[in-house]
Amino acid sequence: MSIDADIDISAESAPKKDIFYVTTPIYYVNDVPHIGHAYTTVNADFIVRYHRLAGEQVFFLTGTDEHGQKIAQAAEANGVSPQEWADRIHPRWREVWERLEISYDDFIRTTEDRHIKPVQELVQRLYDQGDIYLATYTGPYCVACEAFYQPSEIVGGLCPIHERPVEWIEEENYFFRLSAYADRLIELYESRPDFVQPDIRRNEVLSFVRSGLQDLSISRTSFSWGVSIPWDPRHVMYVWLDALQNYTTAVGQGTDPDRFARTWPADLHLIGKDILRQHAIIWPAILMAAGFDLPRKVFAHGFLTVGGKKMSKTSLTGISPHLLLDTFGSDGYRYHFLREGTFGQDGPFSWESMTARYNADLANDLGNLVSRSLAMTTKNFDAVVPAPGESTPLEDALLAAGVLAAEQMDERVRKLDPAGALGAVFEFVRAVNHYIDDTAPWKLAKDPAQRERLGTVLHTVCEAIRQISILISPAMPSASRRIREQLGIGPVDSRPLSESVISGTSLVGVKVTKGDSIFPRVEVEKPA
RNA sequence: GGCGGCGUAGCUCAGAGGCAGAGCAAGCGGCUCAUAAUCGCUGUGUCGGCGGUUCGAUUCCGCCCGCCGCUACCA
């Protein structure tokens, strides 16, 4: 026990993990952003903003993956160097994230020194300890995929994905001993069922690993646009080996031990289901080899479908985030992709359903609630929130509904159910509209004897809108801000919802300003 | 072929061994403060098909039909 006590003392001085760390994938600068990318990032931002709102310390990372053959090819086709190409494309991503109000704390680019150096150090270490070895690999290779295939997969000499001829390549490659980690990976999935979520993805990963793992080819000599292998510069790293490490290099891997200790492991790697294997198998194996802690959770969401079909690249790029942003704004955009469908499963996307949902929930229910409430406050009390008189069971019930919404939201965000979380908030919005109908303040206003009662009702409504402005802030930061401006109050505090939502009568005497509609209705016609 | 998932109201989806649910859309009514808004009321569903276990299954099991995912490196 005395030995333990000594350890405790030293542990006390060492920094401990105290930051909630969320990542998105880093996006390939080969592509311009489409709504699928934004789907991942918007959901991550919602989760992050919620945790910040609840008063937690958070670190939110996104970025761009800038190495690999496809980028070299794209650069060449455009007559510039790969680095120039990456420099030119990567702002396209930042622009979209700006417009979508993505509150990332850091944006990492894999071509930055702060990334490359620690990556090389770690890979060198894995080589030195025997996790990486040299071997000759021969097989069919698709340039577009940047990947070798199993001979059995090649149909008629064509790549199964791109349907173009594969090249038969013999290459001297470095390999990572992925197979050596199979047992530990299986143990990981079994002992921590939450590591890979949803369950269906966990099952896929588990059965894949159980079927046996081959070692992973982690270097290329056929092109040079990548992080070079430090002990053998003829080779550059396979993009995933480089890219995955963004999650650790961004938080101090090999450069800032204190920061690393406070941030790593990631609490959540949010990804699309297409890159599940890299995150659920390769990445943990690399981390095991490196001796780092493993992420707490890898969550793979589903894809958007269009017209009931899997979204193709062409249909995806056909729907630009900018087009939707022009019509619905960042709030409408974010709301739709958080609220519609079940996170984790594939879900349909259509302009019609997005418009319908926007008008029903945002314009009619919430926007109009703000509008009617502030109009009545303006008309009856010179735009100053009145002091409440005695409350009735109606007020008590509404207060309880607000508290319930906050509780349910908390529970559902932590279960990674954004749609459910917002569902709870909008149930409260409906309850407030209902309350106004029940109390009929426009009738009270006609009877001078009911002046105090009218004050109670309008105070209660304004207070409820204040609560709503807090609850929607992770989903719709701009709308939250605009509502609070009209209410005459400042930005949302960062503290537990139980405190901020239930904070009583702070609005009395505040001057409100009925401004522009928070959510103007959108016509159904889709722009050409 | 192997492993797994899905099939519930017009649409998107919840659900659970014991009287079938929500939101949207639709219809009717109320109200008039508000963004033709809000509030109330109203449906129809052989809960994919056929068997089995059970006092009782849409929920558990088997088979079948139809979609889909994974099966070595595409958000």
Side-chain angles (χ1 to χ4, degrees):
Chain A
M1 288 307 276
S2 60
I3 293 172
D4 286 349
D6 287 346
I7 289 168
D8 284 349
I9 288 165
S10 63
E12 203 174 327
S13 59
K16 284 187 187 142
K17 159 101 177 158
D18 61 354
I19 295 173
F20 189 81
Y21 180 27
V22 178
T23 70
T24 72
I26 50 174
Y27 299 102
Y28 212 44
V29 290
N30 184 36
D31 237 344
V32 294
H34 61 230
I35 60 175
H37 303 114
Y39 182 57
T40 313
T41 301
V42 164
N43 275 277
D45 189 63
F46 171 72
I47 292 160
V48 159
R49 282 181 185 267
Y50 180 81
H51 282 269
R52 279 201 205 104
L53 175 65
E56 296 169 41
Q57 281 202 76
V58 176
F59 188 71
F60 179 26
L61 178 70
T62 191
T64 42
D65 182 5
E66 306 191 347
H67 289 129
Q69 189 172 22
K70 268 183 283 188
I71 287 164
Q73 288 169 339
E76 195 181 344
N78 287 275
V80 296
S81 74
Q83 186 64 62
E84 283 168 338
W85 178 254
D87 290 344
R88 184 190 294 181
I89 298 298
H90 109 273
R92 302 283 296 273
W93 292 86
R94 286 189 185 255
E95 277 164 21
V96 181
W97 302 152
E98 289 305 313
R99 285 195 76 185
L100 283 167
E101 302 191 72
I102 303 303
S103 61
Y104 54 81
D105 295 299
D106 194 2
F107 188 106
I108 191 164
R109 302 177 58 189
T110 56
T111 49
E112 292 170 330
D113 276 353
R114 63 164 171 154
H115 173 73
I116 293 171
K117 285 181 181 167
V119 163
Q120 288 181 316
E121 281 169 17
L122 177 61
V123 172
Q124 178 77 56
R125 184 151 69 80
L126 299 187
Y127 180 64
D128 292 343
Q129 70 191 31
D131 275 304
I132 290 172
Y133 63 92
L134 187 65
T136 300
Y137 185 86
T138 308
Y141 182 87
C142 172
V143 175
C145 298
E146 263 180 62
F148 282 100
Y149 280 90
Q150 301 298 307
S152 61
E153 291 178 288
I154 303 305
V155 185
L158 301 178
C159 161
I161 290 169
H162 294 87
E163 293 180 348
R164 49 191 277 183
V166 293
E167 296 164 39
W168 205 265
I169 290 183
E170 179 172 299
E171 206 176 85
E172 199 174 58
N173 284 175
Y174 286 97
F175 283 80
F176 171 64
R177 288 190 202 281
L178 185 60
S179 60
Y181 293 88
D183 290 346
R184 288 177 64 185
L185 287 168
I186 290 169
E187 193 191 328
L188 165 67
Y189 311 135
E190 286 177 340
S191 64
R192 288 173 46 192
D194 284 348
F195 178 72
V196 181
Q197 281 293 303
D199 282 338
I200 180 175
R201 302 303 157 205
R202 173 175 172 269
N203 289 340
E204 283 178 7
V205 167
L206 194 48
S207 64
F208 182 85
V209 176
R210 279 189 176 138
S211 73
L213 290 180
Q214 296 171 16
D215 288 344
L216 182 73
S217 163
I218 52 130
S219 77
R220 301 285 185 271
T221 53
S222 52
F223 60 93
S224 61
W225 181 239
V227 180
S228 60
I229 297 283
W231 64 89
D232 189 349
R234 294 169 305 151
H235 290 251
V236 295
M237 287 178 203
Y238 167 55
V239 281
W240 277 105
L241 178 65
D242 155 23
L244 285 164
Q245 288 183 67
N246 89 88
Y247 302 133
T248 43
T249 60
V251 295
Q253 168 187 330
T255 58
D256 189 342
D258 283 7
R259 178 151 180 252
F260 193 70
R262 291 188 61 196
T263 316
W264 190 258
D267 292 271
L268 175 64
H269 287 316
L270 196 62
I271 59 169
K273 65 183 184 181
D274 55 320
I275 50 173
L276 177 63
R277 187 176 306 142
Q278 289 82 355
H279 287 79
I281 298 173
I282 297 174
W283 182 226
I286 292 170
L287 291 166
M288 285 172 181
F292 294 154
D293 288 337
L294 303 180
R296 303 243 161 103
K297 182 173 293 195
V298 174
F299 188 95
H301 68 246
F303 282 176
L304 303 170
T305 58
V306 170
K309 291 180 205 158
K310 194 168 124 182
M311 215 173 232
S312 70
K313 266 226 158 106
T314 47
S315 68
L316 270 174
T317 47
I319 304 166
S320 150
H322 291 291
L323 179 67
L324 296 181
L325 278 161
D326 290 343
T327 301
F328 298 98
S330 69
D331 298 311
Y333 188 113
R334 293 169 59 102
Y335 182 74
H336 179 265
F337 287 100
L338 293 168
R339 181 75 176 88
E340 201 70 42
T342 303
F343 201 48
Q345 294 176 22
D346 288 359
F349 172 82
S350 75
W351 184 274
E352 291 72 19
S353 69
M354 183 166 181
T355 305
R357 173 69 82 175
Y358 173 92
N359 283 335
D361 289 5
L362 298 184
N364 296 353
D365 285 354
L366 178 53
N368 181 57
L369 169 64
V370 173
S371 176
R372 68 196 300 210
S373 303
L374 296 188
M376 287 188 282
T377 304
T378 301
K379 192 182 297 177
N380 295 298
F381 290 95
D382 291 327
V384 174
V385 179
E390 208 164 309
S391 44
T392 71
L394 287 174
E395 285 72 47
D396 298 341
L398 194 65
L399 180 68
V403 172
L404 180 68
E407 287 168 357
Q408 290 185 332
M409 181 176 187
D410 187 77
E411 186 187 320
R412 291 172 191 180
V413 173
R414 291 178 198 285
K415 281 158 74 175
L416 298 183
D417 176 15
L422 286 173
V425 175
F426 275 76
E427 225 167 283
F428 181 50
V429 171
R430 278 192 289 278
V432 182
N433 275 318
H434 193 163
Y435 168 84
I436 293 176
D437 218 67
D438 282 350
T439 52
W442 52 90
K443 280 186 191 161
L444 299 174
K446 288 173 186 153
D447 180 359
Q450 296 283 0
R451 181 81 181 159
E452 184 182 309
R453 180 63 189 150
L454 178 61
T456 305
V457 168
L458 291 181
H459 174 269
T460 301
V461 169
C462 288
E463 174 60 19
I465 292 172
R466 184 190 67 81
Q467 295 173 352
I468 290 166
S469 77
I470 297 168
L471 297 176
I472 65 168
S473 64
M476 298 182 282
S478 165
S480 170
R481 226 178 292 126
R482 286 179 290 135
I483 289 171
R484 293 176 75 89
E485 275 166 20
Q486 295 197 8
L487 260 188
I489 55 180
V492 173
D493 295 337
S494 200
R495 55 194 170 128
L497 291 191
S498 56
E499 291 173 28
S500 60
V501 171
I502 315 164
S503 85
T505 57
S506 58
L507 288 177
V508 176
V510 166
K511 173 102 175 163
V512 306
T513 314
K514 183 167 167 17
D516 294 339
S517 292
I518 306 293
F519 301 107
R521 286 180 64 86
V522 167
E523 296 315 314
V524 192
E525 295 84 47
K526 178 179 176 178

